[in-house]
């Protein structure tokens, strides 16, 4: 999952070297905290959150075999 998020985020931003994803396991879910540069935050979120929703949809489709909830936060 983490590699997929990094791959998608790096293809969207102007500063791919500043993209990082932190995986935070919890009891019933896994939180992925996506960190990008301040200037690229809008590109990752998109108008009305459409880009981040699309990223979440791709990750959720890829994680159907995982019983835990997957959450993605943009930091």
């Amino acid at each position: 999952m983490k590699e997929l998020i990094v791959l998608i985020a790096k293809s969207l931003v102007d500063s791919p070297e500043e993209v990082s994803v932190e995986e935070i396991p919890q009891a019933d879910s896994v939180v992925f905290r996506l960190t990008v540069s301040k200037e690229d935050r809008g590109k990752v979120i998109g108008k009305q959150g459409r880009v981040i929703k699309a990223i979440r949809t791709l990750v959720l489709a890829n994680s159907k075999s995982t019983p835990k909830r997957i959450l993605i936060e943009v930091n």
Side-chain angles (χ1 to χ4, degrees):
M1 260 18 105
K2 185 175 178 179
E3 296 83 18
L4 178 63
I5 298 169
V6 170
L7 179 71
I8 294 170
K10 282 187 176 184
S11 67
L12 293 172
V13 299
D14 291 333
S15 303
E17 65 278 352
E18 294 187 34
V19 172
S20 66
V21 176
E22 180 184 359
E23 185 174 348
I24 305 166
Q26 297 178 348
D28 60 343
S29 63
V30 178
V31 177
F32 291 98
R33 186 168 293 142
L34 172 62
T35 305
V36 295
S37 69
K38 190 174 184 179
E39 295 81 24
D40 290 329
R41 216 176 293 153
K43 292 177 183 175
V44 172
I45 296 171
K47 284 188 178 180
Q48 297 179 351
R50 289 183 181 151
V51 175
I52 193 64
K53 285 180 189 176
I55 294 171
R56 287 179 178 139
T57 301
L58 288 171
V59 171
L60 288 174
N62 193 29
S63 69
K64 287 296 179 185
S65 62
T66 306
K68 292 188 174 188
R69 242 176 97 194
I70 305 292
L71 303 170
I72 301 175
E73 297 177 351
V74 178
N75 194 10

